[in-house]
Amino acid sequence: MEKAGCSISDNFMKAVHCDKQISGGYLRGEGIMVCANYMNLQDEVNQVVIHELIHAYDDCRAANLDWTNCAHHACSEIRAGHLSGDCHYKREILRGFMKLRGHEQVSFPLISFLLFLWLSLLIIFFSVCVVFC
């Protein structure tokens, strides 16, 4: 992260007790949290840290990243999902999803919807831009 131009503090990654059943998350300005009370295996912790580090890197490198913008958030989720190996077939089998083909379609149904929404908004934006620009 520092080589990419982003400084990180000593407590950039934290193991915390979470009230909601989530594995962890990344918060701008606070860093990565791993919900220790929902992690059973070291591999789960590793996966969460890798996934959230990708979000942190995106946040570091994209000057105009707006986490409240669905398209920006979806893009980072897709990158984190694919680069971290979240959708790898072995991980899907461990989750109880036994198909070897088509696992990515089920793994990210929300992301697929957000990507569709983002593309629709881009089409609308460029249509408006052609008329008014």
Side-chain angles (χ1 to χ4, degrees), residues 13-18 23-25 32-37 39 44-45 48-49:
M13 284 189 248
K14 303 176 257 324
V16 297
H17 179 84
C18 297
S23 53
I32 295 170
M33 64 170 192
V34 177
C35 296
N37 53 317
M39 299 286 113
E44 293 172 336
V45 175
V48 170
V49 170

Side-chain angles (χ1 to χ4, degrees), residues 61-75:
R61 297 299 297 157
N64 63 346
L65 180 61
D66 177 6
W67 291 105
T68 63
N69 181 319
C70 290
H72 292 195
H73 200 143
C75 182

Side-chain angles (χ1 to χ4, degrees), residues 82-130:
H82 283 282
L83 294 174
S84 70
D86 279 345
C87 285
H88 192 275
Y89 76 92
K90 290 178 185 174
R91 192 158 308 285
E92 293 297 309
I93 289 172
L94 289 172
R95 290 179 182 142
F97 189 73
M98 303 308 258
K99 281 175 61 177
L100 293 180
R101 288 186 164 181
H103 61 274
E104 287 184 326
Q105 291 88 343
V106 176
S107 182
F108 286 111
L110 176 61
I111 301 305
S112 299
F113 169 74
L114 291 174
L115 184 58
F116 171 77
L117 180 64
W118 177 61
L119 291 173
S120 301
L121 290 172
L122 277 178
I123 291 168
I124 292 168
F125 171 76
F126 284 116
S127 299
V128 170
C129 190
V130 168

Side-chain angles (χ1 to χ4, degrees), residues 37-85:
N37 53 317
Y38 292 111
M39 299 286 113
N40 297 318
L41 303 170
Q42 183 62 47
D43 182 61
E44 293 172 336
V45 175
N46 295 348
Q47 195 63 36
V48 170
V49 170
I50 292 167
H51 183 101
E52 301 308 331
L53 275 171
I54 293 166
H55 289 315
Y57 182 81
D58 288 349
D59 196 32
C60 167
R61 297 299 297 157
N64 63 346
L65 180 61
D66 177 6
W67 291 105
T68 63
N69 181 319
C70 290
H72 292 195
H73 200 143
C75 182
S76 186
E77 285 297 341
I78 291 167
R79 279 177 38 79
H82 283 282
L83 294 174
S84 70

